[in-house]
């Protein structure tokens, strides 16, 4: 498998996982089948769309490759009909979601650097790419986004994006820094979830 | 009346209807006059703005023709002062809203095809154009968007957008497919409302 | 201090004030530190990002000057740790917020005119620039935006934007009309708050 094929597969895996977890939220909220598909697609594609709109890359990549639309719709239909089975996959889904988080964070930061953004802005875009879909998902079901008040999630995405931005400024091999960045995000997310860590709250 | 004049009139009728129904939601939620105008304008113009931002057509058409701003503001003021009369028009408003839905769905899909998007993405843009204003309206009043859990609404928009995309791929006359697409959306919406149909929910 | 330095300082003051008030909302809602920083940054930068996306100016100015990101983050950390002291500054914060509102309204309207938009659209963009961050802030904490149902806030922004647009159409000195516009917004906001005015509600 070539490097770009690998990246595409990883990207679609991230999209699929975000679509499955988004679809489950839609099922919990008793949405109808259109609602479940819409939440699945928004969760999976929202971060990338926000990234591309902010970078001025229109239309967003999501709308130029039909696979990006079909994967979340298939996942949404799957969740709609077999949601108890998907919900039982709770732990594997968290691990896969952490992988998606890492992939989206580093891909977003890399794309921002390539578009000429400065270092802090590229970290911001990487983070928004990773958490954007989940934030839109929570807004659509009228809840305060989970990422704002629970667990270590956005912080893990920020860490991976920082790896990419710092590695880039040191002229390190770009494949290496993307891989290391994704692993850093993944590890922080999985370990913090496993140990029950959460970010500090106001006194 | 020329074809483009007819399209403009139909577009403004769609905007007016969405503004009236949006303004009524603002009145129900006890917003002040600014809030009612803001909800009316968002409901009427949000879908088109989302469409143009995603297609990279900036500034959105809404901001280049002053009539697109004045129509929802006039409708908003009208609803604010005579809302009991407008609310009594419940049934005609549903029919007009279905017409607006059809017009926005086909116009969005056509504009996406003209911008070079692939078929499924063009259907997606058509649907977002038609439902986007209503989704933003519901988010602004802190409710789960109606379209995600009640009645047949987005599905009707998708059907009309599919007509446009399929007709385009078959090189059919573009005026004809736009008209047929809008009628398909309108008919599905009106009949499903009249018969009380709704989309399936999770088991 | 040169004119452009003055404008930059005023812009950063506006951003800082919106970040402080946004951060306080995050603290009240018991968000964690990431959530408080995210709300502070969204409140401060959201209006400018919406403005630039709608004007087709990508990436938004926010992402091209690192100071625009650091100011709200520093303010967010500050609020997180010393929020009781910040909350006691209630009255000065309202006055500073009114100044930020005026600055954002006139800067937004001016940027829209410079981008070639018509007069009513430029007023709309000025208003969205001024209130956009606060609307996003309220959506993120799952509340109906304050601006839609309480006090005189958006109306003050509209008044300042109208001054800029009318002054521009009369070819008046552009620095003068920006200053007068900001003062008009500031005065309407402070006086209406002081006198307890609010916009009319539906009968």
């Amino acid at each position: 498998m070539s490097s770009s094929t690998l990246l595409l597969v990883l990207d679609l895996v991230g999209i699929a996982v975000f679509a499955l977890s988004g679809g489950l939220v839609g099922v919990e909220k008793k949405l109808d089948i259109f609602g479940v598909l819409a939440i699945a697609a928004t969760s999976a594609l929202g971060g990338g769309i926000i990234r591309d709109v902010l970078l001025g890359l229109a239309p967003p990549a999501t709308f130029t490759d039909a696979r990006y639309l079909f994967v979340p719709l298939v996942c949404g239909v799957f969740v709609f009909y077999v949601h108890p089975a998907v919900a039982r996959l709770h732990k594997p889904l968290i691990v896969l979601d952490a992988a998606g988080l890492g992939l989206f964070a580093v891909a977003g930061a890399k794309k921002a650097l390539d578009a000429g953004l400065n270092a802090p802005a590229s970290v911001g875009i990487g983070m928004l790419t990773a958490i954007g879909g989940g934030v839109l998902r929570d807004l659509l079901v009228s809840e305060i986004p989970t990422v704002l008040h629970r667990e270590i999630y956005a912080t893990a995405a920020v860490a991976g994006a920082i790896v990419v931005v710092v590695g880039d400024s040191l002229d390190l091999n770009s494949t290496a820094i993307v891989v290391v960045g994704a692993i850093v995000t993944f590890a922080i997310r999985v370990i913090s979830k496993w140990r029950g860590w959460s970010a500090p709250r106001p006194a």
Side-chain angles (χ1 to χ4, degrees), chain A:
Chain A
M1 202 172 346
S2 76
S3 166
S4 69
T5 311
L6 179 64
L7 272 178
L8 176 68
V9 169
L10 291 174
D11 211 14
L12 292 176
V13 168
I15 286 173
V17 174
F18 282 3
L20 289 174
S21 63
L24 278 178
V25 170
V27 167
E28 278 166 27
K29 291 283 174 178
K30 309 283 183 208
L31 304 183
D32 62 27
I33 186 163
F34 171 77
V36 171
L37 293 181
I39 294 277
T42 305
S43 307
L45 307 174
I49 291 174
I50 291 172
R51 175 199 63 204
D52 290 350
V53 167
L54 291 178
L55 294 179
L57 305 170
T62 306
F63 294 109
T64 58
D65 181 336
R67 285 173 292 198
Y68 286 116
L69 289 176
F70 279 120
V71 167
L73 294 182
V74 169
C75 291
V77 170
F78 183 73
V79 169
F80 185 81
Y81 285 108
V82 297
H83 53 87
V86 177
R88 268 196 302 275
L89 295 173
H90 185 61
K91 280 190 185 171
L93 270 178
I94 285 174
V95 174
L96 281 170
D97 183 90
L101 190 73
L103 292 166
F104 280 31
V106 300
K110 186 78 178 66
K111 209 165 178 180
L113 288 171
D114 291 348
L117 261 62
N118 60 45
S122 297
V123 171
I125 295 284
M127 184 199 71
L128 286 175
T129 307
I131 72 170
V135 168
L136 292 178
R137 173 199 67 205
D138 293 344
L139 290 181
L140 284 176
V141 296
S142 209
E143 297 206 337
I144 297 180
T146 312
V147 72
L148 298 180
H149 61 104
R150 283 174 49 192
E151 305 182 355
I152 303 287
Y153 195 83
T155 311
V158 168
I162 287 176
V163 168
V164 171
V165 166
V166 170
D168 180 80
S169 74
L170 300 174
D171 266 330
L172 300 181
N173 176 282
S174 84
T175 306
I177 61 177
V178 162
V179 171
V180 172
I183 291 173
V184 165
T185 294
F186 177 79
I188 293 177
R189 172 65 186 146
V190 169
I191 294 172
S192 69
K193 180 79 187 176
W194 169 47
R195 306 298 303 251
W197 293 343
S198 60
R201 281 154 180 283

